[in-house]
Amino acid sequence: MGLVSAAVEPEIPAAVAKRIAKAVESSRSEGTRCTYAAGWRRFAGWCEREGHAALPAHPVTVAAYLVDAADTRTETGERAYVVATFGTWIAAINHQHRTIGHLSPSAHELVTATLAGIRREYAAAGDRPRTPRDPLLVDDIKVLVETARNRCRGWADEVLERRDSAIFLLGFAGAYRRSDNPICGAATSPLHRLVGLHIRQRKSKTDQGGRGAVKALPCNGSHETWPPCAYVLWVQLVAAYGTGLRPSAIRLLRKRGPFTGHVWRRGLPRTAARALLLRAVSKNGDLSNRPLSGAAIPQDHPEARRTRRLRPTALTKLGGQSLRAGFVTQSTRSGADGPAIARQTGHTRLDSVEVYRGEHAPLVGNAVTDIRL
């Protein structure tokens, strides 16, 4: 039997090559691409300082890189990096090698054993455990929304209030991941229903192929904290701004009546096709053309802090996941089981739901509460 010759790379038109490159780039989310780029820059910089070749990298180089990072300490003596970060860096190094056509150095036994040993060292020492975001519960959300409305001193403040209220209410009721939240520019198709708002998520962190899913945000409470009403109030402003920029937005706010009842059943205002919904807002109230990032969830809320009505712990570790964690925690305390919670969160594995439940509501549904010692 004769040897099979290696395939010869064909010559293709420049337009086809460009299209292939675009498709390859689209195979990963923008967040993943940014993460890989940052991870590779760090590794390449370290190799340059240490006098090693970064591409292709020898397995010993990668192992030394991991050990150096694991031994790095902060000024207070704590480890500078969580162990999960090393896996991300390895993925970035592998991606860069595969893209150029080199073998992945981390496939070598030396690298896998080094990483496994570092994980064991971290676990044995109890260093840098996972630090989950504090959940924002229903009472916290109500305080934040009420505070945002009470602090308004002009039309620019009202623009921010409508946006922030939509952030908190939609993000909480929808139990969105930070990166999948429609308030942060995620690909969604909001649909008006008499019973509430149905949002079709065209893709998500765990659905990059775009199979899609629908989340229902029902109308079942006060108009002041109905997610659909908050959504309508914000979209009204987006539509006005899209028609006549700042003057139209100011006219809308000046002509509005008091917010004393539901606005949801009036229907959704018409906006431009694929218009960004929740965007960055400047200090003078102008709407930016760039979407909010997941990090835009307020890390601190000074007005709420001054009222002393928000739980002290709810201000210490806020983040984009605080709304999602809060939904799971509040639902657990209200008696919802794992499958019911996962139906809204979109978790495909119930053990992921249990992580939230165990961290933030460890005694709910736990048999330890019945042993009566």
Side-chain angles (χ1 to χ4, degrees), residues 205-264:
K205 176 182 176 182
T206 56
D207 180 24
Q208 293 296 324
R211 292 187 301 274
V214 174
K215 291 198 176 188
L217 307 184
C219 297
N220 56 2
S222 167
H223 66 279
E224 295 180 343
T225 53
W226 264 13
C229 284
Y231 180 80
V232 168
L233 291 175
W234 173 249
V235 175
Q236 287 176 349
L237 199 56
V238 172
Y241 198 87
T243 302
L245 300 180
R246 184 193 297 183
S248 293
I250 294 176
R251 281 195 298 272
L252 170 71
L253 293 172
R254 285 178 176 172
K255 292 194 313 182
R256 79 192 188 291
F259 182 34
T260 57
H262 299 294
V263 298
W264 171 245

Side-chain angles (χ1 to χ4, degrees), residues 77-313:
E78 297 180 339
R79 293 188 189 270
Y81 306 104
V82 296
V83 71
T85 301
F86 303 147
T88 302
W89 289 346
I90 287 294
I93 294 170
N94 290 342
H95 172 70
Q96 189 70 17
H97 279 70
R98 288 194 301 266
T99 300
I100 304 300
H102 295 298
L103 295 176
S104 301
S106 68
H108 195 280
E109 174 65 20
L110 176 65
V111 177
T112 58
T114 300
L115 186 56
I118 290 173
R119 288 194 177 109
R120 282 180 174 270
E121 291 173 359
Y122 268 60
D127 289 326
R128 298 300 295 267
R130 181 174 180 268
T131 53
R133 292 299 185 184
D134 276 1
L136 285 169
L137 305 180
V138 166
D139 288 343
D140 301 324
I141 300 295
K142 289 180 178 179
V143 168
L144 289 169
V145 171
E146 180 184 347
T147 302
R149 290 172 179 158
N150 291 339
R151 72 182 180 184
C152 290
R153 298 296 181 269
W155 79 272
D157 289 341
E158 292 176 13
V159 173
L160 283 171
E161 180 275 312
R162 289 197 181 195
R163 188 200 68 178
D164 289 349
S165 293
I167 285 179
F168 288 120
L169 295 173
L170 269 73
F172 179 84
Y176 286 103
R177 295 181 182 87
R178 185 175 68 176
S179 59
D180 297 342
N181 203 322
I183 64 178
C184 299
T188 57
S189 299
L191 302 173
H192 184 275
R193 294 287 185 269
L194 291 179
V195 295
L197 179 67
H198 290 185
I199 299 181
R200 177 173 294 280
Q201 191 90 24
R202 295 197 291 273
K203 69 174 185 176
S204 67
K205 176 182 176 182
T206 56
D207 180 24
Q208 293 296 324
R211 292 187 301 274
V214 174
K215 291 198 176 188
L217 307 184
C219 297
N220 56 2
S222 167
H223 66 279
E224 295 180 343
T225 53
W226 264 13
C229 284
Y231 180 80
V232 168
L233 291 175
W234 173 249
V235 175
Q236 287 176 349
L237 199 56
V238 172
Y241 198 87
T243 302
L245 300 180
R246 184 193 297 183
S248 293
I250 294 176
R251 281 195 298 272
L252 170 71
L253 293 172
R254 285 178 176 172
K255 292 194 313 182
R256 79 192 188 291
F259 182 34
T260 57
H262 299 294
V263 298
W264 171 245
R265 292 187 174 87
R266 302 174 192 174
L268 288 174
R270 185 181 298 276
T271 58
R274 296 186 177 276
L276 290 174
L277 293 181
L278 294 206
R279 331 170 186 184
V281 176
S282 64
K283 291 182 179 180
N284 63 4
D286 281 341
L287 273 64
S288 169
N289 288 324
R290 58 186 176 86
L292 290 174
S293 69
I297 301 297
Q299 298 294 316
D300 195 357
H301 206 294
E303 290 82 4
R305 183 189 293 275
R306 283 196 290 270
T307 66
R308 298 185 182 278
R309 295 173 55 202
L310 196 64
R311 293 176 300 114
T313 57

Side-chain angles (χ1 to χ4, degrees), residues 177 324 328 341-350 352-353 356:
R177 295 181 182 87
R324 184 172 172 85
V328 176
I341 294 173
R343 185 172 182 181
Q344 185 73 340
T345 62
H347 281 110
T348 57
R349 296 175 50 177
L350 292 183
S352 298
V353 177
Y356 285 102

